[in-house]
Amino acid sequence: MTYWAHSENDYSARHRLATHLLSAARLAGERAGDAVWRQEADLAGRLHDLGKYGDLFQKRLDGTESGLDHWSAGAYAALVHFKSMASALAIEGHHIGLQCASLDAVTSRMAMVRRGASPMGHHIRLSDPDITRLLARASTDGIHPDAPERVALPFRPNALRYAIASMVDVRMLFSCLVDADYLDTEAHFQGGPEGKRYRATGLSLDAEEAALGLDRYMARAVRGRNHSSDAVTAVRADLWKAVTEAAAGATGVYSLTAPTGSGKTFAMLQFALTHARKNQLKRVVLAVPYLTIIEQTAREYRKVFAEKPAHFILEHHSLAGIREATTDAQKLDDNERQRRLYAENWDAPIVITTNVQLLESLFANRPSACRKLHKLRDAVLLFDEAQSLPQHLAVPTLAALSHLSHAYNTSIVFATATQPAFDTLDEGVRKHAVSGWQPREIVPTHRRMFKQLERVEAVWPAPGEALDWGDLSTTLRDKAAPHSLCVLNLKRHAHALLEAMQGTEGLFHLSTNLCTAHRRAVLDEVRVRLNPAHPQPCRLVSTQCVEAGVDLDFPLVYRAMGPLEAIVQAAGRCNREGRMNANGQLGRVRVFEPAPDTGERRRMYPNFAYFQASEVTTSLLRESGGVLDINDPDVFRRYYQALYGVSRPAEQNRDLNRAIDELDFPEIAQRYRLIDQDAIQIVVPWQGGIAQYEQLRAQAADGVTGKWMREAQTLSVSIYRPRPDHPAWGCLIPAPFRRGGVSDEWFVLEDPSGQYYDETLGLQLPQNQIVMIA
């Protein structure tokens, strides 16, 4: 009898099961490379669809059966017959996701299989309860699995000393199996008369050629910039030299500390490409925390590699593919289709993505999220604005990245102007990964660079000094200082200041209550007004969304008291290019305490962690005699050491730590969230994009698709999900899916009178303060 894996493709050809299993084993082994668990990856490939040798599954392909579990049989065989716990978990999870790997949980699930029942419950049946019969059929069909000589995850009590490291190993194996299975299945259904047709593989990284291209670009476009000061030019040259020299080192964990405006964005890429060439690495992955940075960085990197094919750089984030530079609709569709295929498994030389996408995938359990993880071996992972990593996730994140570097020939680079003292968490990290966290600094002379690039002076508030909105408004209106930025901690504070400044010439506002396209338009206008060749009055009142990676250059910045790293990020928008230094001046950053508008001090900040960090800054300021030098990296280190001493990151997030101790993959995936609030997306009628809004609104009436959601991103605003009785629901229309049902995440704002989307303040729903994201 011939056993089949998949139904007919467009050429009426079925997919032979033995062919699929052997192909999956081969592809999974190739992806495993020289990993110690390569034999387990091969085993997983051979056994992952063992249940399809069951008669019931073959009837399912004929349409006469349904509700079958074809994966548990292979998992049972891998564990009981071949002693591979990691293979068993990967096989079990290749459809339903990785399950809890505790000894008790696995024993319970396998006991159900032994009794002939599916662990999925009574509504699902095993395709065949006789595992011995299935293995015999596979053997007759030419499938001969071997027990691995070494295993990634021993199946015995107290076998795990380093839980996070072992779980990374399981996810990596799982990634190899899932990618192999998906690629071979896709090849069958895309096949022709000649047989299976595999997708075209992505481009490979020629690091030497790419580095030469970067060097040519820098010589042409950056080193010759004539509006930068001599000090800025000198520091950028020193930074370039430092990263090039450090790149000769072996793979490992690195920090890159450099002042804002020193050219860190391109220096990171120089390190990565030179390091990849020295260590024969295959890929560069850049992760950034904010979409504003990711778009800006992708735009700059694409200029460097303008002569490369479109998918030399792969963007994987929510705005990717929305604004491709072509008017050819067919070409646009083809490019986006190919981008999405490559994004499934990160098959590109350079990947630009978000912290959320990368880090949450490292702690995920779903097949689609884990599929790309094997592409992180033999790679350089760059994390820009590393200070944005939340404290409550710091220790597990560092442990996972440390093991990834230690076991998979990958280098990790944490780059920022305000380098967190993560090395002080080494003891906590070593409880989860033997390699710990002791990064090598790429720029040992960074302290000198900060002094050389001293572009701003900070003015700190005196004890007890506070500014109310009227006083602040009067100061910002000063005609002698027509260009100023004011960064506030809360949207309600920004709104209060804007109200006090009504009628001021050149007044602008920026916050996440404005949709992406609206924010981009505001920034474009601000840059025009700041152009030194044709300056116009410009006073920008903003929340923290302006701080990280937004390329603005104000001579004067006001910053509400907050975490030290936030104050330094705001200072990065002041005298950014060092033009004032040429006249013997420095930019001025005035830190101020807003006058209290609430009886509880912590309510002056977005959340408790932000409040706690702000209090540490205030305490450090008091201990330092009322002055903190934001140009001194040692001050940042003292700040982070004090902050970690107060907040104790290793003891935070007890639910996540408990799930890690229990090896509970699904619970870990639920608990590891960089953005932990439940949010919804609202498509808004911003007048600058009203035609697109009307088009999206009309399309939504017929049912939305993935393409609709991607296009809607630029006109959407995120808010916390309102309570069921919140009045905002009266003007929010849920987007129906074309396939049926309605979205619980996407909504269209019905605003015929224009009262809910203000052209200055953005989204203004009823009881807005309850649902605004800070």
Side-chain angles (χ1 to χ4, degrees):
M1 177 178 177
T2 301
Y3 294 94
W4 306 104
H6 300 109
S7 56
E8 296 178 350
N9 61 18
D10 290 342
Y11 287 84
S12 302
R14 284 193 169 192
H15 197 186
R16 189 164 176 252
L17 179 53
T19 302
H20 176 55
L21 294 178
L22 291 173
S23 296
R26 173 181 58 80
L27 291 168
E30 290 173 356
R31 278 146 183 74
D34 60 357
V36 296
W37 41 260
R38 176 169 182 152
Q39 291 178 330
E40 291 185 281
D42 180 277
L43 178 68
R46 292 173 187 268
L47 293 177
H48 78 284
D49 279 351
L50 180 67
K52 292 185 177 182
Y53 279 108
D55 294 336
L56 290 177
F57 184 84
Q58 295 301 307
K59 292 179 179 179
R60 177 184 175 276
L61 292 179
D62 295 329
T64 58
E65 278 291 351
S66 62
L68 299 176
D69 169 354
H70 72 267
W71 49 86
S72 291
Y76 183 91
L79 182 62
V80 176
H81 292 261
F82 299 97
K83 311 305 179 187
S84 174
M85 172 77 149
S87 296
L89 290 168
I91 292 168
E92 180 186 39
H94 82 278
H95 279 283
I96 63 173
L98 291 168
Q99 301 301 297
C100 183
S102 71
L103 193 66
D104 289 345
V106 174
T107 300
S108 175
R109 295 198 301 275
M110 293 303 104
M112 293 185 69
V113 177
R114 187 171 60 249
R115 294 194 301 268
S118 169
M120 296 293 292
H122 296 298
H123 63 293
I124 298 288
R125 294 172 293 160
L126 293 178
S127 58
D128 190 326
D130 190 336
I131 310 300
T132 302
R133 178 167 55 213
L134 294 174
L135 286 170
R137 288 179 177 179
S139 180
T140 301
D141 217 9
I143 306 300
H144 305 295
D146 293 317
E149 296 175 4
R150 298 176 64 183
V151 296
L153 189 62
F155 186 62
R156 61 179 184 269
N158 304 317
L160 284 187
R161 183 179 175 190
Y162 304 107
I164 289 179
S166 294
M167 295 177 89
V168 167
D169 291 336
V170 171
R171 289 190 188 91
M172 292 291 275
L173 191 158
F174 182 51
S175 168
C176 294
L177 173 63
V178 169
D179 194 35
D181 181 31
Y182 284 15
L183 287 174
D184 193 63
T185 301
E186 177 186 273
H188 162 68
F189 284 108
Q190 295 294 323
E194 73 286 356
K196 289 190 291 190
R197 186 180 295 152
Y198 287 97
R199 67 167 66 171
T201 57
L203 298 167
S204 59
L205 176 64
D206 184 334
E208 184 169 8
E209 181 189 19
L212 288 172
L214 174 60
D215 197 57
R216 286 193 298 270
Y217 176 83
M218 294 295 288
R220 182 176 65 250
V222 177
R223 292 174 185 165
R225 285 197 293 188
N226 56 19
H227 59 261
S228 298
S229 70
D230 291 342
V232 171
T233 302
V235 166
R236 287 175 176 171
D238 288 346
L239 179 58
W240 195 264
K241 181 173 182 289
V243 300
T244 303
E245 291 174 351
T251 56
V253 175
Y254 290 88
S255 59
L256 195 168
T257 310
T260 300
S262 60
K264 177 165 53 69
T265 299
F266 287 113
M268 284 191 298
L269 185 58
Q270 166 68 358
F271 173 86
L273 294 175
T274 307
H275 191 61
R277 178 171 60 84
K278 294 283 188 180
N279 293 281
Q280 290 79 53
L281 304 180
K282 300 174 182 177
R283 188 165 289 101
V284 174
V285 179
L286 170 65
V288 296
Y290 311 113
L291 286 175
T292 49
I293 307 177
I294 206 170
E295 289 188 291
Q296 186 172 293
T297 304
R299 196 161 49 242
E300 294 302 315
Y301 280 13
R302 288 194 184 281
K303 291 177 185 176
V304 175
F305 303 111
E307 297 178 0
K308 294 286 187 182
H311 300 295
F312 183 80
I313 295 177
L314 171 69
E315 294 182 58
H316 190 188
H317 54 88
S318 60
L319 295 181
I322 293 175
R323 293 175 308 282
E324 295 286 350
T326 178
T327 57
D328 185 329
Q330 181 61 49
K331 185 176 180 181
L332 178 59
D333 287 345
D334 290 345
N335 282 344
E336 174 58 13
R337 190 178 301 111
Q338 195 63 52
R339 185 199 67 80
R340 293 174 67 187
L341 284 174
Y342 289 145
E344 291 173 351
N345 61 357
W346 282 5
D347 194 5
I350 297 177
V351 179
I352 302 179
T353 189
T354 60
N355 287 359
V356 170
Q357 181 63 242
L358 174 53
L359 294 178
E360 290 190 3
S361 293
L362 269 175
F363 288 84
N365 76 314
R366 303 302 302 177
S368 58
C370 292
R371 179 179 176 181
K372 57 184 171 285
L373 291 180
H374 68 275
K375 293 295 179 73
L376 300 182
R377 64 175 298 125
D378 301 319
V380 186
L381 307 189
L382 305 171
F383 290 87
D384 196 11
E385 305 296 351
Q387 79 285 346
S388 64
L389 179 63
Q391 288 180 50
H392 69 285
L393 297 176
V395 169
T397 302
L398 297 176
L401 293 174
S402 174
H403 183 67
L404 190 65
S405 174
H406 177 71
Y408 296 103
N409 192 40
T410 289
S411 283
I412 314 294
V413 180
F414 273 21
T416 179
T418 54
Q419 193 69 241
F422 284 142
D423 58 300
T424 63
L425 304 179
D426 179 67
E427 182 180 351
V429 173
R430 287 184 186 275
K431 293 178 181 178
H432 299 288
V434 67
S435 42
W437 192 265
Q438 289 292 333
R440 287 170 273 176
E441 175 56 52
I442 291 174
V443 191
T445 60
H446 63 268
R447 290 175 178 81
R448 187 180 71 216
M449 289 183 180
F450 275 83
K451 287 301 179 185
Q452 285 178 278
L453 213 57
E454 187 171 358
R455 305 179 317 273
V456 301
E457 61 177 341
V459 179
W460 297 89
E465 179 187 6
L467 283 176
D468 63 29
W469 305 126
D471 292 339
L472 184 57
S473 170
T474 300
T475 302
L476 293 172
R477 279 198 183 107
D478 186 356
K479 291 184 179 180
H483 296 149
S484 60
L485 166 66
C486 183
V487 183
L488 300 154
N489 293 321
L490 294 172
K491 289 177 180 176
R492 77 168 188 267
H493 291 169
H495 293 181
L497 178 57
L498 286 164
E499 185 175 351
M501 293 185 69
Q502 278 186 354
T504 303
E505 183 181 6
L507 180 62
F508 297 90
H509 171 54
L510 204 65
S511 82
T512 54
N513 270 21
L514 278 62
C515 66
T516 303
H518 193 173
R519 292 201 302 273
R520 191 180 300 118
V522 170
L523 287 171
D524 287 346
E525 177 61 23
V526 167
R527 290 187 181 105
V528 168
R529 286 174 170 265
L530 292 177
N531 185 344
H534 304 285
Q536 302 172 62
C538 181
R539 284 117 173 152
L540 177 60
V541 175
S542 178
T543 59
Q544 311 98 285
C545 70
V546 77
E547 287 178 339
V550 177
D551 191 5
L552 296 176
D553 192 352
F554 284 89
L556 175 64
V557 171
Y558 280 73
R559 191 15 169 125
M561 179 62 78
L564 183 61
E565 71 271 22
I567 293 170
V568 174
Q569 288 295 329
R573 308 321 116 197
C574 184
N575 193 23
R576 186 176 180 85
E577 294 293 340
R579 296 188 187 97
M580 298 177 69
N581 295 60
N583 299 321
Q585 298 177 309
L586 294 176
R588 173 168 288 201
V589 177
R590 180 173 177 186
V591 183
F592 67 96
E593 287 277 8
D597 62 355
T598 174
E600 190 175 2
R601 181 170 169 78
R602 71 174 59 181
R603 293 192 65 242
M604 297 286 287
Y605 301 93
N607 52 50
F608 180 75
Y610 205 93
F611 160 72
Q612 193 174 53
S614 302
E615 291 293 276
V616 169
T617 304
T618 302
S619 175
L620 197 62
L621 178 66
R622 188 167 52 246
E623 293 171 7
S624 302
V627 177
L628 287 175
D629 184 359
I630 62 173
N631 298 298
D632 183 358
D634 291 335
V635 171
F636 309 151
R637 185 165 182 83
R638 285 171 50 211
Y639 162 76
Y640 281 115
Q641 288 173 327
L643 179 59
Y644 297 158
V646 171
S647 64
R648 300 184 181 277
E651 299 174 12
Q652 294 186 33
N653 212 332
R654 293 181 179 178
D655 290 337
L656 174 61
N657 290 333
R658 187 182 306 112
I660 289 170
D661 290 340
E662 295 172 357
L663 306 180
D664 192 338
F665 284 95
E667 185 67 14
I668 291 168
Q670 284 291 107
R671 296 292 179 183
Y672 188 97
R673 286 283 185 266
L674 269 74
I675 303 173
D676 59 2
Q677 293 276 7
D678 186 16
I680 63 174
Q681 307 294 324
I682 302 173
V683 181
V684 298
W686 171 53
Q687 287 303 304
I690 197 64
Q692 184 187 4
Y693 166 81
E694 295 293 353
Q695 182 181 32
L696 289 167
R697 184 169 172 270
Q699 291 171 347
D702 298 326
V704 303
T705 62
K707 181 181 179 183
W708 183 94
M709 293 178 197
R710 288 192 302 277
E711 293 177 348
Q713 287 280 354
T714 57
L715 284 182
S716 69
V717 175
S718 295
I719 65 167
Y720 295 133
R721 186 179 299 277
R723 299 186 313 267
D725 60 346
H726 194 283
W729 292 117
C731 57
L732 300 181
I733 309 301
F737 290 120
R738 186 168 294 178
R739 63 177 183 267
V742 296
S743 173
D744 65 350
E745 180 184 1
W746 282 94
F747 298 82
V748 177
L749 179 64
E750 285 289 337
D751 190 18
S753 61
Q755 61 178 318
Y756 298 133
Y757 194 83
D758 185 89
E759 292 301 303
T760 299
L761 301 178
L763 187 64
Q764 298 295 297
L765 294 172
Q767 297 183 19
N768 209 33
Q769 70 280 5
I770 297 175
V771 296
M772 285 191 301
I773 296 177

